[in-house]
Amino acid sequence: MATGDNAVQAADAPRRRRYRVHHLAQAKEQGSKITMLTAYDAVTAAVFDAAGIDVLLVGDSIGNTMHGHTTTLPVTVDDMIPAARAVAGAARYALVVVDLPFGSYEAGPEQALATAVRFMKETGAAAVKLEGGRSVAPQIRAITDAGIPVVGHLGFTPQSEHALGGHRVQGRGEDAAEALCADALAVQEAGAVAVVLEMTTVEVAARATEILQIPTIGIGAGPATDGQVLVWTDMAGMTEWTPRFARRFAELGTALREAAEDYAAEVRGGTFPDAVHSFER
Ligand code: KIV
């Protein structure tokens, strides 16, 4: 299937323009909310792009959602590259951001820059995202200085889930809130164009959003952030369990299972394929 010609894209408004990094700053200035969803392949990227989603994140959550891991830790650069290439190839309008996976940037600015450069050369993505605050500011600075936009990620950072003691809300208590705000300021100072805030209290997300000039994009961080991001399989109801912060906007898992059951029943009953779906002479 040529996703560039995908029927879902016919609904595109002709006046839409490519969402770029400067539109993130513009959105914050104008108070218009930034919309972000994860995508891991060309088919869903084309659908979300046609739906008008501003930013597509090729998240390392691909490890959990698509590869069946229980954490994002096993995800590699070689896992991310084909996914990012597929999403960037299918997204006509959305800004495509790709996650630097665990182990691809922690060693220092040189390693981080090498990974980011590889992503830019080999995928067509427009920006990278990495997890951490003050400790990774030199990495953010090195990547930014090379002309590659960086999105930060604070609060619950899944790559550090063992150090954080599991999936726990971050920023609780004054010390933790202050530390999170200091990290947010360091990420901004290092040149990040936006920062994802994951599973923080509403109050600390609001405080970070207020003190930062760059936009905050929340996931489980309440309504005060400059934008929202969800993992698409959560928001589409693809799985039985959904995190508390993710609303199920559809029940696609059930719809897909029913479609597969109908297909199997028709094949077994001999009613598919029929004349309409067969070629004669
Ligand atoms: O990998 C991912 O999907 C993410 C989101 C949770 C923001 O980083």
Side-chain angles (χ1 to χ4, degrees), residues 7 12 18 37 39 131 135 152-153 157 165 170 189 213 217 259 262 265:
D12 279 353
R18 170 72 75 179
L37 275 180
E131 297 181 6
S135 64
H153 186 155
T157 43
Q170 302 295 306
E189 180 61 28
Q213 270 137 32
I217 302 173
D262 289 351

Side-chain angles (χ1 to χ4, degrees), residues 38 57 59-61 99 129 153 196 198 219 229 231:
T38 64
L57 171 65
D60 61 353
S61 53
D99 258 342
K129 176 168 85 56
H153 186 155
V196 166
E198 179 165 355
I219 173 164
V229 55
V231 169

